Amino acid sequence: VFDKGATEGIYDRGLAAHLLYLDDAKFETRDAKRSGVGFWLWAQYYLDNFKTVREALAGQKHVQIVKTAFGPYQDGMPVHLALSSSSTVTPWCIWGNATSCGTITELPGGIQATERFVRAAYALKYLPKTDDAAKPVAYLLSVMNNVSVPFGSHYIGVSGTYPTWWRCVIE
């Protein structure tokens, strides 16, 4: 991004990090007692310092992700980080570890990241178990396609909601 930071990557032992827009992202008030990492280096910091999602979540208390001016975005950019490793997929947002969608009586259908996240979390709970190595990839792609932003959608929000240009499945 703007030749300054990585938005996506994978560590050779399996940890993958994906920096994504989220208009509802909130940054903590700066705590000078903790080391700070600019949000544009968030994914790279986790890939450089942790091997698994569990390690990354345990290590997050030692560093604070800092919202700063970045390129044309003087107020920073609203982002969240999704982490995955061979045994764990954990979408983790600045505003908390939001991996549960609670009790849902009706799924939201909008294109905003929060609504798509709820749909994805709901669908992931019901994917069939299988021993066939190819099926989980197909199942995951079906969920990803369901929550992708289609081309032609209105651009809205602080960061703009843009069509989904790519999807990553790492096995």
Side-chain angles (χ1 to χ4, degrees):
V1 175
F2 302 114
D3 294 324
K4 293 184 183 216
T7 58
E8 194 159 37
I10 184 167
Y11 181 74
D12 63 358
R13 295 190 185 162
L15 179 67
H18 315 275
L19 191 64
L20 307 162
Y21 287 112
L22 180 65
D23 282 333
D24 294 332
K26 306 288 185 238
F27 289 81
E28 301 171 279
T29 302
R30 184 69 180 107
D31 177 0
K33 295 177 184 172
R34 292 165 56 200
S35 296
V37 173
F39 71 91
W40 66 91
L41 295 173
W42 192 2
Q44 190 64 55
Y45 174 82
Y46 275 61
L47 291 171
D48 289 346
N49 289 284
F50 305 106
K51 297 176 186 171
T52 66
V53 171
R54 283 191 176 84
E55 282 183 20
L57 292 177
Q60 73 188 7
K61 63 185 170 194
H62 302 294
V63 68
Q64 182 178 26
I65 305 306
V66 180
K67 179 180 174 183
T68 61
F70 181 70
Y73 300 92
Q74 291 305 302
D75 294 325
M77 297 170 75
V79 295
H80 71 286
L81 185 70
L83 297 173
S84 61
S85 56
S86 59
S87 61
T88 312
V89 176
T90 304
W92 182 72
C93 302
I94 284 177
W95 37 264
N97 185 357
T99 58
S100 171
C101 55
T103 302
I104 296 175
T105 56
E106 186 175 319
L107 290 174
I111 62 170
Q112 289 296 94
T114 50
E115 293 187 21
R116 292 183 293 118
F117 177 82
V118 169
R119 286 198 314 274
Y122 178 84
L124 287 172
K125 287 174 35 175
Y126 298 104
L127 289 180
K129 303 291 184 214
T130 180
D131 292 330
D132 181 339
K135 285 185 180 177
V137 173
Y139 294 161
L140 186 56
L141 282 169
S142 74
V143 173
M144 293 167 72
N145 286 333
N146 180 272
V147 300
S148 294
V149 178
F151 287 90
S153 295
H154 299 294
Y155 295 169
I156 55 177
V158 176
S159 60
T161 299
Y162 298 95
T164 301
W165 289 91
W166 69 85
R167 295 158 192 84
C168 295
V169 176
I170 301 164
E171 62 173 325

